[in-house]
Amino acid sequence: MGDQVKIGYSFWGFLGTGITDTPDGGRSHRRTLVDGLRAAGRDIVFLQPNRDLCEAGDDLTGHYRWDVGLPDTDALFLEWRWPIPGRNTTVCGRPGHTCDLHRQADLLDHYTHQLGTPTILWDKDRRLPAADPLRRTRNVTVCEPALHPTPCAVPLLFPVADTAIDAADPTTLVALPRRTSLVYIGNQYDRDHPFDTYFAPTAAQLPHLIAGKWADTRRWPNLNFIGRVPFPRVSAIYADALATVLLLPARYAAAGQMTQRIFEAVLAGCVPLLPADVRGANAFVPSSLIVGDAADVRHRIGWLTEIAGTGEHASLITECLRHLDPFRLSTQLEVLDYLLRHPEPVRS
């Protein structure tokens, strides 16, 4: 393929701030990736409904293009959707139904299977079964945001703009007042065990808050759950917090898959503590921020409280910023550029 590649891009979420009641973590990095692809000369057309306009009232049609038909494309890029009972597995038109899965099936049938269009499947939530036939389909490349992805899959991490990393000033960040010792931002999904192991015992002793959808909090009656917050508030919460713990589902930890929470926190000057059972933990944070249990978390926060606002604190944030280098947009664009130029996936 030449430089002028038209990419049909399928995602179920938002480019802008969207709505509060949604689990769409892609808002932290999706627009960064799309704008990077466009700046590199790629033509992008979005193939799912325009939720920014329909649900959030945010009209971005002057900058981006949506098409719910089957336009001509040179490549298909899917942010992978999976069956969610009661939501996208129900009959179209029923209350609560979302048609993301049906639309994805139509796109795969038309582009991938009928036309043989080169297809990049970004399995952001590790939901594609290891034995799924798509992994063996000639014109499909599976990408995962993990350091150690499923065999034959290609690492494609969540991107953060190079300019955002380069512009971050550790001295300015550590000078901010940080009234909350410990925060967690994210949903409950498959995180009860790491939450109990690393977060809850320490949070009970410190000023803290937990933002996100936690459907059942009865096990932690004394913790401060505030529910989902508007997306713009995420950076403000981190900017007021001394530290966070990066809690990952076991399937993420085993593959060295880090969420967007790491760069959301670091860019706001919130120190990320990372459980030691995350594969490749040293690639994500300085070794001094790797923790083995809740006692370690409490010890690190005590240390951070002592050095807050000092040169040592600024040096630590500098190290954390360096550890964001694997997430740089420029690096992820190199991966996609290679895949678009060499659409035949490499099989091991």
Side-chain angles (χ1 to χ4, degrees):
M1 294 184 184
D3 287 337
Q4 298 300 315
V5 175
K6 183 177 181 181
I7 301 172
Y9 192 124
S10 171
F11 72 94
W12 186 252
F14 301 91
L15 291 174
T17 58
I19 58 176
T20 300
D21 190 20
T22 177
D24 181 30
R27 288 171 292 183
S28 69
H29 56 266
R30 181 179 296 119
R31 195 167 183 172
T32 296
L33 181 61
V34 168
D35 288 348
L37 287 167
R38 295 175 70 197
R42 313 305 191 193
D43 183 17
I44 307 289
V45 56
F46 300 125
L47 300 177
Q48 293 274 2
N50 183 352
R51 296 182 67 195
D52 286 278
L53 181 61
C54 297
E55 297 180 39
D58 190 1
D59 189 356
L60 302 176
T61 55
H63 303 280
Y64 304 98
R65 185 157 48 100
W66 280 261
D67 191 327
V68 293
L70 297 170
D72 291 337
T73 65
D74 299 308
L76 177 64
F77 186 95
L78 303 171
E79 291 188 19
W80 186 247
R81 302 299 300 165
W82 62 94
I84 303 174
R87 189 185 305 174
N88 59 13
T89 59
T90 55
V91 176
C92 295
R94 291 194 62 178
H97 175 79
T98 62
C99 220
D100 52 303
L101 193 64
H102 293 165
R103 174 62 170 169
Q104 179 175 268
D106 290 344
L107 297 174
L108 283 166
D109 182 62
H110 177 75
Y111 293 108
T112 307
H113 299 308
Q114 293 185 28
L115 299 182
T117 301
T119 300
I120 297 173
L121 188 163
W122 199 13
D123 188 15
K124 300 170 69 173
D125 290 274
R126 306 192 66 78
R127 296 292 186 178
L128 184 70
D132 194 291
L134 281 169
R135 294 188 184 274
R136 302 186 299 276
T137 301
R138 180 189 58 79
N139 56 315
V140 174
T141 299
V142 176
C143 294
E144 296 172 5
L147 298 181
H148 305 279
T150 305
C152 300
V154 176
L156 180 66
L157 305 186
F158 299 131
V160 59
D162 293 48
T163 52
I165 298 175
D166 296 338
D169 180 9
T171 301
T172 300
L173 291 172
V174 302
L176 295 175
R178 297 187 179 271
R179 295 169 295 179
T180 309
S181 298
L182 182 63
V183 301
Y184 179 73
I185 301 177
N187 298 321
Q188 186 169 9
Y189 311 138
D190 302 320
R191 287 174 169 86
D192 283 14
H193 177 69
F195 188 79
D196 277 330
T197 303
Y198 299 99
F199 191 94
T202 302
Q205 305 173 40
L206 298 168
H208 71 278
L209 65 82
I210 303 109
K213 183 179 180 180
W214 288 69
D216 186 357
T217 61
R218 289 172 295 178
R219 289 165 56 183
W220 311 285
N222 298 321
L223 297 189
N224 182 24
F225 294 90
I226 64 171
R228 280 180 168 155
V229 297
F231 182 67
R233 193 179 167 194
V234 169
S235 60
I237 291 174
Y238 281 130
D240 191 46
L242 187 61
T244 186
V245 183
L246 300 171
L247 303 176
L248 301 174
R251 68 184 186 277
Y252 288 12
Q257 175 165 325
M258 181 54 62
T259 72
Q260 72 280 1
R261 301 305 179 193
I262 188 169
F263 52 77
E264 289 177 341
V266 172
L267 292 175
C270 179
V271 173
L273 304 177
L274 183 62
D277 59 4
V278 174
R279 187 176 180 185
N282 281 294
F284 296 121
V285 299
S287 58
S288 61
L289 300 181
I290 297 175
V291 292
D293 53 25
D296 275 355
V297 173
R298 184 68 182 90
H299 178 268
R300 297 304 194 284
I301 292 178
W303 167 56
L304 291 170
T305 301
E306 291 177 0
I307 68 169
T310 67
E312 185 177 0
H313 191 190
S315 295
L316 182 63
I317 295 297
T318 298
E319 286 188 66
C320 291
L321 288 166
R322 291 195 187 109
H323 278 78
L324 294 185
D325 282 346
F327 300 92
R328 284 180 177 265
L329 173 64
S330 56
T331 301
Q332 312 320 312
L333 290 178
E334 287 176 2
V335 173
L336 288 175
D337 181 69
Y338 179 86
L339 295 178
L340 291 169
R341 292 177 181 276
H342 304 85
E344 291 292 327
V346 177
R347 307 294 185 196
S348 61

